[in-house]
Amino acid sequence: MAEPERGVGLRSGPGRSGSRCRWQRPDHWPSDTTPSTIVVPFPWEHPGSGVLTHWLPIAWYRRGIERPAEWAGQRTVLHFGAVHHQASVWVNGALAVEHEGGYLPFEADITDLLDSDGTGTLVVRVHAPVDKRFIPHGKQRSMPADDYDGCAFTPSSGIWQTVWLEPRPAASISQLSLRPTPELDGIEVSLVGPSPVRIEIPGVVVREYDQLTGPVTLPIPEPRLWTPQDPHLYDVVVTAGEDTVRGYTGLRRIEWQGNNLLLNGVPTYVRGVLDQGFWPTGGHTAPTDDALKRDIVLAREAGFNVVRKHLKLEDPRWLYWADKLGMLVWAEPPSTGRFSPEAVAAFEEVTAGMVVRDGNHPCIVIWGAYNEEWGLDWDVPGDPAKQDAVRRAYRIIRDSDPTRPVVDNSGWAHVETDLVDWHYYDDNVASWAAAVDRLVNTDDGSFPVRLGPDFVVDKAIAAPGFDGSELIQLNGEYGGGSTSVERGWHLRWQTQELRRHARNAGYIFTELYDIEHETVGIYTYDRRTKDLGGTRQSDVHAETTLVIDLTPEAPGRDLVVTGSGTVPVRVSHHGRDPLLGTLHWATGSAPVDAKPFVVTDPIEVVATPGRLQLWVTDSDGAVVARSFVDIA
């Protein structure tokens, strides 16, 4: 059977507004179809593309290109940010490059393929398999379906990141790695390129080298560290031979000690949210650069300090905004769907490429590898070959970047990891609290997981032979409730249980916004604020929060009393310094002396029917924590 094919026009360039063109049939163009048009870089399944077609396995793109006159004498390099999944690229009928893998960038020197006047015809053939189970694809739906099809979304096929041209000298810099020194007093620079080399941190230091044979360190006499509160970035300008490249990084150190991550030596509680990187008009592709920035702003406004970018290598512009705005990031590669040697090899390739592409970003503080045994047939405990795959992915990342902690298999069945995380969903607040207490404070690391509507299995934190008792432990996913009011209620009560336990280093709430059929976000798919029944996300995820010692009954009636009663209230404070303040309620107040990362003893608050408002002020009178209890 002949494969269905479609011709589409291609737009290149750094912008996202798109353009539409109609082209004549070129060489390497299917002869049995009529060309239509597409807006690049939007996937063809989504409305931003102007095409909106589904389960199309093959598409052809064509457009004219022209080298600017001022580039004469330099090489012309064609860049693709990402194309899902296999791309073959021709210029003027000659093959320029072939690339497989839907998330990593690739390029081609097309200088000698252009006409003498610098013009050419660019043709791209993209193969996007409808059966994605054995290739890295993350949350894109597959046919046949993945085991996790119930939480997968419309695919994002074709060119989904920017395409652009770049001028370069004949000998150029092909790789630039920037890392802070362990003492945070300089930047270690590694590069691949010609000589001689000049490296400058503008306004700070300049170094010149006849030739580089390895990494060099540029000292910074008065270092200004990168923190969420002050995300200072240092530009680094490298000239090697005739080529000049500008990069940047920040001075920050991530360590894992005791019960907490340390950022520049400061204990940092992970108040995180899951962000899957989808948009209504573009799937994987954000409509604008501002939309990428806006998602980080929304996460911060909700009180989060970490974003787990889930199963996707995001557009690098998103990481740029995380660097600029001071948002911490847990980064991880897209998963495969089923286990095979070829699938494992493809996953390892994108995992290694993730660290190379994104390692300069100071915002990234955690690397992830596998997720919930996806691509491993949910059978890591029972199969040594799959345990080896998890261990190998962990070591690929650690060998490439030993400065950040790595999560080997997020959720359960850890094999070799720096952080032990667990995913647990439960709509019963009592059993949720009991399970959290057991998982955090005992050696019992098993819990039920619903893998399908009628398919519940017991999973364990540890694979056979793994002992994570001395490692940092945190929640990797949680959330409950099906309506917005229920989501807000569970958000409030479940999160306080995570804050109750000193050994728990943090959490990742699922999730930031709705996506298609998955309506569990704190924002809608188009990023509008939801009514969460009075729950304010920024109060739940604040540095200082209230932990209320009761098991609530239901939204609107947390506690049922006859006449009046008391509610025990504790304070959880994750600031750098102790908090000396006051707990307030309508009819009284009490002093608060909260030590960092230690939950206070309970304060008894008089409760009468109605909404009991609770808030804490610091010594200056500023409100630093809020909560409430609905009493019937």
Side-chain angles (χ1 to χ4, degrees), residues 288-320:
T288 63
D289 181 59
D290 187 63
L292 293 166
K293 178 182 178 181
R294 179 62 177 158
D295 277 2
I296 295 170
V297 172
L298 288 174
R300 169 160 288 170
E301 289 177 350
F304 299 108
N305 64 356
V306 175
V307 173
R308 180 183 173 196
K309 182 60 72 165
H310 191 41
L311 298 171
K312 179 190 180 188
L313 299 193
E314 188 54 274
D315 188 309
R317 289 290 300 179
W318 183 85
L319 290 168
Y320 164 79

Side-chain angles (χ1 to χ4, degrees), residues 239-520:
T239 299
E242 299 179 354
D243 193 20
T244 297
V245 171
R246 180 184 292 270
Y248 73 84
T249 193
L251 299 180
R252 65 102 190 91
R253 179 175 61 244
I254 298 296
E255 301 167 279
W256 44 108
Q257 295 180 6
N259 293 337
N260 288 106
L261 290 175
L262 302 183
L263 176 61
N264 301 332
V266 178
T268 302
Y269 191 79
V270 173
R271 307 189 310 271
V273 67
L274 199 77
D275 175 358
Q276 306 197 61
F278 281 79
W279 285 268
T281 59
H284 266 3
T285 304
T288 63
D289 181 59
D290 187 63
L292 293 166
K293 178 182 178 181
R294 179 62 177 158
D295 277 2
I296 295 170
V297 172
L298 288 174
R300 169 160 288 170
E301 289 177 350
F304 299 108
N305 64 356
V306 175
V307 173
R308 180 183 173 196
K309 182 60 72 165
H310 191 41
L311 298 171
K312 179 190 180 188
L313 299 193
E314 188 54 274
D315 188 309
R317 289 290 300 179
W318 183 85
L319 290 168
Y320 164 79
W321 284 117
D323 291 335
K324 290 283 288 185
L325 299 175
M327 179 59 73
L328 306 178
V329 172
W330 174 337
E332 62 193 25
S335 64
T336 54
R338 299 301 297 270
F339 181 77
S340 73
E342 294 77 17
V344 170
F347 179 81
E348 291 174 355
E349 181 177 357
V350 72
T351 299
M354 171 184 70
V355 182
V356 172
R357 195 197 76 163
D358 298 338
N360 291 347
H361 292 280
C363 65
I364 297 176
V365 297
I366 298 172
W367 292 119
Y370 284 97
N371 173 75
E372 293 182 352
E373 303 175 80
W374 289 12
L376 301 168
D377 300 345
W378 285 336
D379 189 28
V380 166
D383 190 338
K386 292 163 186 170
Q387 295 169 28
D388 287 343
V390 173
R391 185 178 295 107
R392 197 161 54 246
Y394 166 83
R395 292 181 179 177
I396 285 171
I397 300 173
R398 286 287 288 153
D399 290 346
S400 180
D401 180 12
T403 69
R404 295 172 170 103
V406 179
V407 178
D408 63 338
N409 179 35
S410 182
W412 55 74
H414 292 287
V415 176
E416 184 174 1
T417 192
D418 298 319
L419 304 177
V420 174
D421 80 320
W422 42 272
H423 301 177
Y424 182 57
Y425 294 93
D426 192 338
D427 283 352
N428 183 298
V429 291
S431 59
W432 161 264
V436 169
D437 180 64
R438 176 173 51 80
L439 290 171
V440 173
N441 298 315
T442 76
D443 293 332
D444 184 357
S446 63
F447 49 95
V449 174
R450 185 176 298 278
L451 298 180
D454 301 308
F455 182 30
V456 178
V457 299
D458 283 330
K459 286 293 184 179
I461 290 176
F466 173 79
D467 180 8
S469 59
E470 300 302 317
L471 298 176
I472 289 177
Q473 185 193 102
L474 71 161
N475 168 273
E477 290 183 26
Y478 76 105
S482 57
T483 69
S484 293
V485 170
E486 290 173 349
R487 295 298 293 180
W489 187 71
H490 280 288
L491 171 65
R492 188 157 47 92
W493 289 102
Q494 290 185 357
T495 307
Q496 78 154 31
E497 293 305 316
L498 294 164
R499 295 287 293 252
R500 184 188 297 277
H501 303 286
R503 185 166 180 247
N504 181 59
Y507 56 79
I508 303 293
F509 176 74
T510 306
E511 60 190 314
L512 186 60
Y513 46 81
D514 298 343
I515 305 174
E516 297 182 0
H517 59 279
E518 193 169 273
T519 57
V520 296

Side-chain angles (χ1 to χ4, degrees), residues 550-575:
L550 63 85
T551 300
E553 294 195 11
R557 58 178 192 279
D558 298 324
L559 176 65
V560 178
V561 299
T562 301
S564 64
T566 60
V567 175
V569 179
R570 303 173 186 265
V571 178
S572 169
H573 176 58
H574 290 146

